[in-house]
Amino acid sequence: MEKVENRRQLVLWVMIELSLFLSDGISARKLLKDNGSDNRVRLQISHRHVVIDNGLVEVTIENPTGYLIGVKYKDMQNVLESRNTNHNKGYWDIVGDEDVYDKLETKHVEVITQTDDLVELSFTKKWNSRNHDKTLPLNVQKRFIVRRGIPGLYMYGIFEREEDFPEAHMYQIRIAFKLKENKFRFMAVSDTIQRIMPRSEDRDERHSQTLGFKEAVLLTNPSNPSLKGEVDDKYQYSAENKDNKLNGWISEDDGVGFWIITPSNEFRTGGPHKQDLTSHVGPTALSMFVSTHYTGSEIDTFYKQGEAWKKVFGPVLIYLNSASSKDDHNKILWNDAKRQLSEEIESWPYNFARSEDFPHSEQRGQVNGQLLVQDRYMVRELMHAKSAFVGLAAPGDAGSWQTEGKGYQFWTQTDNIGRFSIKNVRPGKYNLYAWVHGFIGNYKLDLNITIQPGNKIELGTLIYDPPRNGPTLWEIGVPDRTAAEFFIPEPNPQFMNSITKDGSDKFRQYGLWDRYSDIYPEGDLVYTVGTSNYSRDWFFAHVPRIVANSTNRATTWQIKYNLEEVNEHGTYTLQLALAAASYAEVQVRFNNPDARRPYFTTKRIGYDNVVARHGIHGLYRLYSIKVPGYSFRQGDNTIYLTQTRSQSSFEAVMYDYIRLEGPSSLVN
């Protein structure tokens, strides 16, 4: 047995050396020690604490509240901020109605699994109507898993509402970690969004100036002089669900990284493009599951009385790593965290989680098919829906997945010929949805799909017929559900943030909404079809204009175009696709800016607050506006788009794409 073990150690050593030779590496011999056979997972339970130790990390949880109060790693006795109270270090929380903020403090602890290879614990609480505290009507399980050989811990929650529970809102569900402030200063959200961060004290009134809203401050006297003159705002570090798989912080003095790894988005809400927070000054690391950010209250977070509900959030992995070299160890730690992310994705769904509410791979199903597009005004042949987003979500209308806030969603992208395979789908009833880059609208398969354990559903070829009533006369933008292709100005030099390593994502800068008034101080935007260029001449957000006394005024944009002929008896269509809307109203007039009543109005729409939160899109909306031919003239025409709301600079819309279609009778 000793020879076998020595051989196993030699093979492991060679594999680690080779892996790290290829990937910048962390000390291979140190990893070999970390992965040695002596590192069994040990559990100690006392009256006040529960401690799990696998030789790589020592995790301490308060008993019985379920608060994570200590993570010991390497020479750091606790990566969490020891000055904080126990309920403000590592915790779940839910934001409910106005006076409800619940940190899900539990009452009991149960050992689910205890072996040399793995310990899983469940901290639980059952809600009952006799409770008069400000906790949500919710049964709670907070699960913790520590495995042999993994420097970190897995966390997931199982939350349940029974039929007799009273109604409640649950606007936000997340896990938050408050890290040691004098250690963790470098934050990484993606390959490009990485930076040294201010300290929390740098945001107080002695060291900063509050800007247009409380989250945004101008650093006037920060502890790190290199940050002077920069803007800090937590919304600048947001990410879409599909990209929000890895975020964390690095203690450069210790060469230690703290990472949140999210291998699946099935438990997040709002679809793959829903944006949410990742990290902010604190240092605070977040694992967001539910929120109204970038959607507003239109996302469904209300649970009525009699509505039973149960959902598993996670597991996510809290991963720690270290680098002995001082030479660019930020890059080494980030790359190692990405490597671990790849391993976790490959292992999903985890077979070691022991809740009956978390099905393993053999208990899940799969849906395969191919999506084609039919648009007879582009080409007569069917087109492959290349790189389209295809997903399963709760039954609803086409596009309803954007505001679906309670169930599970499973998304993938098609290949070059439109084929897709949605794997590891939990049993349940779903609709299949899609949207295709370059085409407006939402696809929905008119069929309920029921997933049962182990089944594989072949849908064959599906055809999306996007909204279209006639040939394209002109178009502005690209149908991609964002305003990214339009003109994004340089920020005011007074409000800079070195937020990205390569200068990309210009829309993340503070104060871009005010740049409209700088560019158009007297009159509003005028776009001439055939002459103007939307990447240069179409401002990315339709915002109010600042006039005298710093007041805002509603703005009217003009689209000028020429029609060589007009079918007065035909019907034209204005396809108006919006990428975002915040307390806005768009009125449309044709050739008469002074018409008392607009030809069309969206009425007041939107709560996504994307402009203030440095996003480039919120909820997608499409309006197919049919217009009689007598509304047009042969020769020069003008469409007037008025954004009527102007109480603040953030009442705005972002356009995705605008197209004028001629009558179908014009097609040969």
Side-chain angles (χ1 to χ4, degrees):
M1 288 299 292
E2 184 176 351
K3 291 182 178 180
V4 171
E5 180 63 22
N6 290 340
R7 188 180 299 116
R8 190 189 74 83
Q9 292 278 11
L10 177 61
V11 170
L12 179 61
W13 185 88
V14 171
M15 290 175 64
I16 292 174
E17 285 286 1
L18 178 60
S19 170
L20 294 175
F21 174 76
L22 296 173
S23 63
D24 296 311
I26 301 165
S27 170
R29 290 172 181 82
K30 188 177 291 288
L31 278 176
L32 178 62
K33 178 183 177 182
D34 288 345
N35 286 277
S37 59
D38 292 337
N39 290 335
R40 293 170 292 172
V41 184
R42 296 176 171 85
L43 172 66
Q44 294 181 327
I45 300 178
S46 67
H47 179 66
R48 299 181 63 183
H49 299 131
V50 177
V51 180
I52 317 171
D53 186 351
N54 68 355
L56 303 178
V57 292
E58 181 181 283
V59 176
T60 303
I61 307 161
E62 187 177 65
N63 187 7
T65 62
Y67 293 129
L68 179 66
I69 60 176
V71 179
K72 180 181 178 182
Y73 178 71
K74 300 295 184 181
D75 294 330
M76 295 186 71
Q77 293 299 307
N78 194 355
V79 301
L80 304 177
E81 181 53 72
S82 56
R83 296 176 300 176
N84 288 9
T85 57
N86 282 356
H87 66 271
N88 196 32
K89 295 178 180 177
Y91 56 89
W92 288 82
D93 65 11
I94 299 182
V95 176
D97 292 313
E98 293 182 2
D99 59 346
V100 176
Y101 173 62
D102 191 349
K103 283 196 171 181
L104 305 180
E105 190 169 297
T106 50
K107 305 295 185 183
H108 309 281
V109 60
E110 178 184 358
V111 179
I112 304 298
T113 305
Q114 182 179 4
T115 69
D116 287 347
D117 293 319
L118 180 146
V119 167
E120 178 170 355
L121 304 176
S122 180
F123 289 78
T124 64
K125 179 188 72 170
K126 293 279 286 185
W127 185 86
N128 66 75
S129 59
R130 294 188 300 274
N131 293 340
H132 296 292
D133 54 6
K134 292 183 179 181
T135 61
L136 285 159
L138 199 64
N139 295 334
V140 174
Q141 294 184 55
K142 297 187 292 188
R143 298 282 185 114
F144 298 83
I145 299 174
V146 176
R147 301 172 62 202
R148 185 202 291 260
I150 302 295
L153 71 153
Y154 297 85
M155 298 175 63
Y156 66 109
I158 307 167
F159 304 145
E160 179 183 25
R161 285 177 47 85
E162 299 177 20
E163 288 185 355
D164 61 341
F165 284 8
E167 66 180 36
H169 280 280
M170 290 192 286
Y171 296 110
Q172 175 178 282
I173 303 175
R174 68 177 187 175
I175 313 175
F177 303 91
K178 301 297 182 65
L179 306 180
K180 194 171 287 294
E181 184 164 13
N182 65 350
K183 294 289 187 179
F184 291 93
R185 299 290 306 281
F186 187 88
M187 183 196 71
V189 174
S190 67
D191 285 334
T192 57
I193 302 177
Q194 302 183 8
R195 64 170 306 198
I196 294 289
M197 292 288 284
R199 295 176 180 265
S200 58
E201 65 207 40
D202 294 334
R203 291 179 54 88
D204 65 30
E205 60 184 10
R206 297 171 300 165
H207 303 93
S208 68
Q209 172 191 341
T210 301
L211 298 174
F213 42 90
K214 64 180 181 179
E215 290 87 355
V217 300
L218 178 66
L219 303 174
T220 56
N221 185 30
S223 54
N224 184 341
S226 68
L227 298 178
K228 184 176 181 178
E230 293 212 7
V231 172
D232 178 68
D233 177 359
K234 65 181 181 180
Y235 293 112
Q236 292 176 311
Y237 316 120
S238 296
E240 293 186 352
N241 282 344
K242 66 181 176 60
D243 304 318
N244 190 3
K245 299 176 181 178
L246 173 66
N247 67 85
W249 293 74
I250 291 172
S251 171
E252 295 181 296
D253 292 340
D254 303 275
V256 167
F258 178 99
W259 309 101
I260 300 175
I261 292 178
T262 307
S264 171
N265 284 316
E266 67 181 46
F267 39 78
R268 284 175 168 158
T269 59
H273 313 292
K274 168 74 167 68
Q275 298 158 95
D276 228 319
L277 303 177
T278 58
S279 302
H280 58 78
V281 167
T284 301
L286 300 172
S287 181
M288 301 293 300
F289 301 112
V290 175
S291 85
T292 57
H293 297 137
Y294 302 92
T295 64
S297 58
E298 290 178 71
I299 196 165
D300 185 11
T301 58
F302 175 66
Y303 298 80
K304 60 181 179 293
Q305 185 167 357
E307 180 181 1
W309 173 83
K310 193 175 191 179
K311 187 172 181 180
V312 177
F313 294 96
V316 297
L317 170 62
I318 311 309
Y319 177 71
L320 294 104
N321 59 4
S322 63
S324 58
S325 171
K326 289 291 184 181
D327 297 328
D328 203 11
H329 59 220
N330 290 349
K331 178 181 178 181
I332 293 172
L333 294 172
W334 172 251
N335 286 339
D336 177 66
K338 290 201 298 181
R339 175 203 56 77
Q340 188 67 36
L341 169 62
S342 297
E343 288 190 11
E344 301 302 320
I345 292 174
E346 186 68 24
S347 301
W348 187 270
Y350 299 135
N351 61 9
F352 53 80
R354 286 294 175 259
S355 170
E356 62 181 15
D357 297 303
F358 182 77
H360 297 169
S361 58
E362 68 276 6
Q363 299 168 302
R364 297 179 175 227
Q366 182 173 328
V367 175
N368 302 322
Q370 182 182 28
L371 184 64
L372 304 179
V373 180
Q374 178 176 273
D375 188 334
R376 57 195 172 93
Y377 290 98
M378 293 183 66
V379 295
R380 294 188 181 276
E381 296 79 15
L382 292 171
M383 295 170 282
H384 296 131
K386 178 181 178 182
S387 298
F389 284 87
V390 183
L392 296 171
D397 297 329
S400 60
W401 50 270
Q402 291 188 107
T403 54
E404 199 285 302
K406 298 176 182 177
Y408 300 94
Q409 297 195 19
F410 302 85
W411 289 86
T412 190
Q413 281 188 274
T414 59
D415 64 14
N416 287 338
I417 61 173
R419 294 177 304 192
F420 61 88
S421 181
I422 307 174
K423 301 177 181 179
N424 295 314
V425 183
R426 297 174 62 106
K429 183 179 290 186
Y430 304 91
N431 282 158
L432 184 131
Y433 305 95
W435 75 270
V436 186
H437 182 92
F439 298 90
I440 60 175
N442 290 287
Y443 173 79
K444 173 193 169 184
L445 178 63
D446 190 18
L447 175 71
N448 285 339
I449 296 175
T450 300
I451 299 295
Q452 297 177 346
N455 71 341
K456 182 182 294 186
I457 297 175
E458 300 290 343
L459 294 177
T461 300
L462 310 175
I463 298 177
Y464 175 43
D465 190 359
R468 166 78 77 167
N469 294 314
T472 299
L473 300 181
W474 52 259
E475 59 187 349
I476 300 173
V478 177
D480 61 359
R481 298 179 175 241
T482 82
E485 70 269 27
F486 298 129
F487 177 66
I488 301 174
E490 294 297 324
N492 186 318
Q494 293 180 314
F495 303 125
M496 289 292 295
N497 185 331
S498 54
I499 184 172
T500 60
K501 294 169 62 176
D502 61 358
S504 62
D505 294 349
K506 290 173 59 176
F507 59 86
R508 296 181 184 276
Q509 296 288 347
Y510 177 85
L512 297 182
W513 50 87
D514 286 340
R515 300 290 286 129
Y516 178 82
S517 301
D518 297 333
I519 298 170
Y520 301 97
E522 301 296 333
D524 288 319
L525 181 152
V526 178
Y527 186 93
T528 303
V529 173
T531 302
S532 300
N533 182 318
Y534 61 73
S535 64
R536 181 186 64 240
D537 302 315
W538 190 270
F539 200 76
F540 78 106
H542 194 162
V543 295
R545 183 157 48 87
I546 301 173
V547 293
N549 301 320
S550 298
T551 58
N552 293 300
R553 175 177 295 171
T555 50
T556 297
W557 292 7
Q558 300 180 44
I559 304 173
K560 294 183 175 294
Y561 58 98
N562 184 277
L563 294 178
E564 293 184 359
E565 60 176 313
V566 173
N567 182 346
E568 293 187 354
H569 302 290
T571 299
Y572 293 70
T573 304
L574 181 68
Q575 302 285 8
L576 182 66
L578 302 184
S582 302
Y583 303 93
E585 177 184 5
V586 178
Q587 294 182 354
V588 182
R589 292 174 173 84
F590 295 90
N591 290 323
N592 183 3
D594 300 320
R596 186 173 64 86
R597 290 186 177 181
Y599 180 82
F600 171 83
T601 177
T602 62
K603 299 183 180 179
R604 201 203 63 74
I605 53 172
Y607 307 90
D608 52 30
N609 214 15
V610 166
V611 171
R613 289 173 173 169
H614 321 294
I616 202 63
H617 70 87
L619 294 179
Y620 175 80
R621 293 174 171 85
L622 175 66
Y623 300 93
S624 296
I625 307 167
K626 294 184 178 181
V627 189
Y630 58 75
S631 299
F632 301 94
R633 307 165 181 162
Q634 186 174 355
D636 293 336
N637 288 261
T638 304
I639 292 177
Y640 299 89
L641 302 176
T642 302
Q643 201 297 98
T644 65
R645 308 293 172 128
S646 59
Q647 289 188 349
S648 81
S649 299
F650 309 128
E651 295 177 329
V653 296
M654 292 183 182
Y655 299 100
D656 166 45
Y657 174 75
I658 304 175
R659 179 172 76 212
L660 182 63
E661 298 171 358
S664 58
S665 60
L666 293 181
V667 179
N668 294 326

